[in-house]
Amino acid sequence: MIMRNIASAIAIVIALSAPALAQKAEIEANNAKWIEMFNKGDFSGIASLYSADATALPPGSAMVQGRPAIEVMWKSMAEQVTDPKLTTVDVKPLGSSAAREIGTFVLKTKGSTPQEVTGKYVVVWEKVGDDWKLATDIWNDGK
């Protein structure tokens, strides 16, 4: 009887953690697409990774809402920085159609004396159809 209860508890834990692992894998795949598109200068592609009504909260700037404005924002930022790297630290499911990601980034500034910039970010992801989309995106520099 005790072994059956333990086995049932283990099965429940596995069943509950499987969606979280799937969410993390899908989110990390989207992050890889984001980096690839940024490096290619495909800012409309980057904007397509956001939900239609997404909000970006860049440091020291006004909020940016909607895909067209987010596309312009990233194009402008690419004039100043290059070679972004993203590392997912944690993904927390917020139900079956939303998740919160915490991560870190590293990038390089452009110019005659490029500098490495490190920072952290929080993203709220939203499931839209079969795809995970960035719904809210905020980041800043520093560890």
Side-chain angles (χ1 to χ4, degrees):
M1 184 68 155
I2 293 174
M3 292 303 277
R4 189 176 342 165
N5 288 342
I6 292 172
S8 294
I10 290 171
I12 290 170
V13 168
I14 290 170
L16 291 174
S17 64
L21 293 175
Q23 285 178 341
K24 183 175 182 187
E26 291 177 63
I27 286 168
E28 287 178 328
N30 275 349
N31 286 342
K33 287 181 199 173
W34 188 98
I35 290 170
E36 181 182 334
M37 291 177 192
F38 187 92
N39 289 334
K40 288 181 178 177
D42 181 2
F43 304 107
S44 65
I46 288 175
S48 76
L49 297 174
Y50 286 79
S51 63
D53 61 348
T55 302
L57 298 106
S61 300
M63 287 189 276
V64 179
Q65 292 190 288
R67 284 185 185 141
I70 288 170
E71 178 179 349
V72 170
M73 175 195 71
W74 284 118
K75 184 175 183 179
S76 174
M77 287 195 180
E79 295 170 2
Q80 303 167 37
V81 299
T82 188
D83 198 24
K85 308 252 185 300
L86 302 173
T87 303
T88 300
V89 174
D90 183 54
V91 173
K92 179 180 180 180
L94 304 173
S96 61
S97 62
R100 184 266 300 135
E101 176 191 11
I102 294 174
T104 61
F105 68 85
V106 177
L107 51 82
K108 293 179 183 151
T109 60
K110 291 183 176 180
S112 58
T113 56
Q115 296 179 349
E116 186 173 272
V117 176
T118 61
K120 62 251 180 220
Y121 65 88
V122 175
V123 172
V124 175
W125 292 87
E126 183 179 276
K127 191 82 167 194
V128 178
D130 292 334
D131 300 319
W132 284 102
K133 301 288 185 179
L134 295 115
T136 306
D137 188 4
I138 185 169
W139 65 96
N140 59 29
D141 62 348
K143 299 186 183 213

